[in-house]
Amino acid sequence: MNISSNRRTRDKIITCLTYAAMFVVLLLPFALFIGLAFKSELLFRDHSLGQLLFSSSWRPSAGEFGFKPFIVGSLYVTLLAMIISAPICLLSAIHITQYAPARVSKVVTTAIDILAGIPSVVYGVWGMMFVVPIVSRYAAPLFGVQTTGFSILSGGVVLSIMVVPFILNILIEIYRTIPKELTEAALSLGATRWEAVRSILNRKALPGILAAVGFGFARAFGETMAVLMVVGNAIRIPESLFDQGYPLPALIANSYSELASVPEVESALMFAALILFVVVLLFNATLRWFIIKTEKY
Amino acid sequence: MENQSIIKVDHLDLYAGKTHILKDINIEIPKNKLTVILGPSGCGKTTLLKCMNRLTDLTPDIKVTGNIFIGKQPVFGAKTDIVALRRKMGLLSQRPFPLPMNIYNNIAYGLKLRGKYSRTELNDLVEHYLRQVNLWEEVKDRLRSPAVRLSIGQQQRLCLARGLAVNPEIILADEPTSALDPVSSEAIEKQFAALAKDYTLVMVTHVLRQARRIADYVVFMYLGEVIEMRPAREFFEDPREEQTKKYLAGAFN
Ligand SMILES: Nc1ncnc2c1ncn2[C@@H]1O[C@H](COP(=O)(O)OP(=O)(O)O)[C@@H](O)[C@H]1O
Ligand SMILES: [Mg+2]
């Protein structure tokens, strides 16, 4: 009697704890958003949202906060990274799950896990040592451009390498969970191996592919260290891949220690963080909509 | 055997890594008959079936020696046009796996791989094959809805129709009724009995009663070997081998 009531109490406590934990998790994004919005409010006393987002003039000392160069820089670097990494990830996930022998796919999976665990500053240093010089010495001259190599291109390349393990991991999982019988069905209907992958497996994987891209985008858009080390950090709207850029996360990281003592600047950096947050949120919400649309099979 | 054979398995051995899964299989499967492969779980029935249209290609660590001939064409061989050969063989798996498409396209997919059809021809063919498996009346108003929304029994009939649509000579089926409710199961079984007039059917089953009801021939396998292959009636009424007798008496279940 006593023991059983004891156990029942314990059961209740655990249940409460799991609810509490779930509640905290659900609350976190709201807390984050409210915190950032609250701190950004100061900036809005003198500036309209349009000014902040679409003006290119960034002179904190003069009270001018145009975020456009940073937003554009961020988008360029991230899109470039996704354009490079998404096809690579998709093709290698298909190869690893559909064609490679079990032994090979195990080795690759291990390698991916290792890559995913490397701190981003290591990618940054590597980018400075190899990617930046290659861009400066070989890539840019091909187009008749002179550059130090610190550029949107270098940022995009380093970033694309960084997000590969994350996207690839998800994609491999997605292709693995597609039952083999589906491939067998397609083959027995007279499809070639590639036709089966292209029109059957890829269709089945589509919602997952979108989710993986969303995840990769969020990682890439917020990645700070590695990008800021190779992208040049010049406040301007980049016009070519060889121009320098200044993504939002780099702005926050570089400015925080020196400028944050000025309340309006601090507020501006909070707003930068808010932009990051909202862009990732919107992008993922849009993808989620597509995922739901494509999930019917 | 009084009948002309269409599938000839010739000294087939199959290894997965170091495991010897199929051991020196030699059988001839007669044309336009229903041949059932019987045997306790894990004896290699599925593996043998998948060898026939070389789905073993999907498992890179499988090694095969010996060969299977469909008519005169070898299944295993560098020169084999495996895509064309597979098209001669419909496949029905243990559970239905509809293609990630709507009902209509599940049938049309194979047709489109097979050749060029106009829209009306395609419509007619889709209807024809859905009627052949008695699914047309149930789905004619929702041809554009995803195939996965059908019940499991309907899905299995759809998969059968999809296989028939590529006009195969042979239908390979791996325990096609084991995931179905009794009514759907009976529907598929009846289909099979009817199809045996025009097609060669090879069906794996573990339901002895089902085999008794519809089999023309029985292949009995045990631990990777074919123990005996005989006309169904002889097999059930006069089993020769010791393992067969035990199996029929229910000793392995
Ligand atoms: N890819 C594989 N690797 C290793 N063993 C396998 C593989 N495929 C099947 N087997 C083994 O081969 C045997 C026969 O399997 P299977 O043909 O599925 O039997 P059944 O269909 O008669 O139940 C089983 O013991 C199974 O574990
Ligand atoms: Mg089996």
Side-chain angles (χ1 to χ4, degrees):
Chain A
M1 183 67 210
N2 212 351
I3 293 174
S4 95
S5 87
N6 216 333
R7 280 164 62 188
R8 229 177 296 141
T9 320
R10 202 180 306 165
D11 199 57
K12 265 193 195 130
I13 293 173
I14 298 288
T15 311
C16 286
L17 279 177
T18 56
Y19 268 112
M22 184 186 74
F23 194 65
V24 170
V25 171
L26 285 179
L27 218 59
L28 274 175
F30 290 101
L32 207 59
F33 180 83
I34 289 166
L36 292 174
F38 184 72
K39 280 288 196 176
S40 312
E41 188 265 343
L42 178 64
L43 201 61
F44 281 89
R45 290 188 194 160
D46 295 329
H47 308 84
S48 75
L49 182 63
Q51 272 175 347
L52 292 171
L53 293 181
F54 301 117
S55 153
S56 305
S57 156
W58 176 265
R59 282 186 297 162
S61 48
E64 290 177 18
F65 296 97
F67 282 91
K68 190 173 172 191
F70 306 102
I71 297 172
V72 173
S74 267
L75 286 175
Y76 278 1
V77 177
T78 308
L79 289 180
L80 183 60
M82 294 308 288
I83 289 169
I84 300 172
S85 59
I88 295 176
C89 290
L90 198 60
L91 291 176
S92 35
I94 289 170
H95 182 86
I96 291 163
T97 55
Q98 306 302 315
Y99 297 95
R103 217 164 6 92
V104 176
S105 99
K106 236 181 224 145
V107 172
V108 177
T109 320
T110 314
I112 294 166
D113 285 341
I114 293 171
L115 279 178
I118 295 175
S120 69
V121 67
V122 175
Y123 285 95
V125 175
W126 176 83
M128 286 170 78
M129 301 297 290
F130 295 98
V131 180
V132 169
I134 288 173
V135 168
S136 150
R137 259 178 248 154
Y138 304 106
L142 276 184
F143 297 88
V145 180
Q146 276 230 319
T147 157
T148 53
F150 291 93
S151 58
I152 294 284
L153 180 60
S154 301
V157 168
V158 170
L159 200 51
S160 69
I161 296 166
M162 285 194 62
V163 293
V164 159
F166 294 99
I167 301 179
L168 192 50
N169 240 340
I170 304 178
L171 287 180
I172 287 177
E173 203 48 47
I174 284 157
Y175 279 97
R176 280 226 173 105
T177 53
I178 298 177
K180 201 167 137 195
E181 285 87 346
L182 209 53
T183 313
E184 295 180 350
L187 293 185
S188 71
L189 293 174
T192 61
R193 197 66 201 282
W194 171 241
E195 284 165 344
V197 170
R198 196 195 55 203
S199 47
I200 307 296
L201 298 197
N202 284 353
R203 181 62 193 79
K204 189 85 178 170
L206 187 57
I209 294 173
L210 293 176
V213 166
F215 187 73
F217 179 92
R219 293 276 324 177
F221 201 66
E223 173 50 38
T224 312
M225 209 52 213
V227 182
L228 81 80
M229 290 167 78
V230 299
V231 80
N233 303 330
I235 304 170
R236 50 175 298 189
I237 298 202
E239 275 154 15
S240 93
L241 289 179
F242 297 109
D243 281 353
Q244 303 195 351
Y246 206 158
L248 281 165
L251 168 73
I252 301 171
N254 281 339
S255 323
Y256 210 87
S257 52
E258 11 174 337
L259 296 172
S261 49
V262 186
E264 203 171 34
V265 175
E266 187 198 40
S267 175
L269 296 182
M270 287 298 174
F271 183 63
L274 190 64
I275 297 174
L276 278 176
F277 185 89
V278 169
V279 168
V280 169
L281 205 72
L282 285 181
F283 188 79
N284 274 301
T286 317
L287 272 181
R288 176 107 338 241
W289 185 78
F290 278 112
I291 289 169
I292 291 167
K293 292 286 272 187
T294 55
E295 234 170 13
K296 59 184 173 180
Y297 299 123
Chain B
M1 216 164 282
E2 74 267 42
N3 280 288
Q4 193 195 348
S5 81
I6 184 169
I7 305 174
K8 182 167 189 277
V9 184
D10 184 23
H11 293 289
L12 187 80
D13 277 270
L14 182 142
Y15 301 82
K18 291 204 168 56
T19 329
H20 199 174
I21 294 178
L22 295 179
K23 298 164 190 165
D24 193 29
I25 309 283
N26 293 286
I27 50 173
E28 292 192 20
I29 293 184
K31 194 175 162 82
N32 292 2
K33 296 282 172 199
L34 199 161
T35 302
V36 158
I37 304 179
L38 276 177
S41 170
C43 69
K45 306 180 295 293
T46 300
T47 311
L48 176 60
L49 202 69
K50 285 184 179 171
C51 283
M52 292 179 182
N53 61 355
R54 226 172 88 187
L55 290 177
T56 46
D57 285 0
L58 294 177
T59 319
D61 12 288
I62 282 185
K63 294 277 168 295
V64 173
T65 64
N67 216 329
I68 296 178
F69 296 88
I70 307 297
K72 295 233 162 5
Q73 288 173 298
V75 172
F76 296 93
K79 291 211 192 81
T80 303
D81 179 359
I82 190 62
V83 174
L85 203 58
R86 282 196 188 117
R87 204 169 294 169
K88 290 187 181 175
M89 291 177 267
L91 176 77
L92 212 53
S93 51
Q94 219 159 344
R95 274 201 306 126
F97 288 89
L99 304 175
M101 305 169 175
N102 60 39
I103 295 171
Y104 182 93
N105 282 329
N106 259 270
I107 310 287
Y109 179 77
L111 290 168
K112 286 179 191 159
L113 287 175
R114 187 170 114 188
K116 285 241 176 300
Y117 293 95
S118 71
R119 174 102 337 237
T120 31
E121 283 172 322
L122 221 45
N123 290 346
D124 290 346
L125 284 168
V126 168
E127 177 174 345
H128 169 80
Y129 288 109
L130 286 173
R131 280 192 191 281
Q132 195 174 352
V133 299
N134 295 325
L135 195 57
W136 175 253
E137 292 300 327
E138 292 161 60
V139 300
K140 64 176 188 225
D141 299 323
R142 45 171 173 155
L143 290 173
R144 301 288 161 185
S145 81
V148 286
R149 297 225 187 107
L150 296 173
S151 75
I152 297 288
Q154 290 173 322
Q155 286 182 24
Q156 191 66 309
R157 276 183 283 153
L158 182 71
C159 289
L160 179 58
R162 156 186 96 181
L164 293 174
V166 292
N167 206 15
E169 295 168 29
I170 300 166
I171 294 167
L172 308 173
D174 189 0
E175 306 193 14
T177 61
S178 65
L180 308 184
D181 60 278
V183 175
S184 309
S185 173
E186 200 189 321
I188 290 279
E189 197 182 303
K190 285 222 173 94
Q191 288 283 331
F192 266 57
L195 287 169
K197 281 202 285 299
D198 307 312
Y199 299 86
T200 304
L201 291 110
V202 185
M203 180 172 92
V204 171
T205 185
H206 61 261
V207 187
L208 271 177
R209 264 172 298 139
Q210 185 173 54
R212 262 183 226 273
R213 281 194 296 266
I214 59 174
D216 295 316
Y217 290 87
V218 175
V219 177
F220 176 63
M221 293 182 70
Y222 184 64
L223 296 178
E225 287 180 87
V226 169
I227 304 298
E228 55 183 308
M229 164 155 191
R230 319 249 311 274
R233 172 160 318 160
E234 284 180 35
F235 176 86
F236 288 112
E237 289 174 5
D238 175 30
R240 273 187 207 143
E241 307 294 328
E242 206 49 44
Q243 281 112 330
T244 316
K245 285 178 192 161
K246 277 196 200 159
Y247 180 74
L248 290 178
F252 298 127
N253 297 321

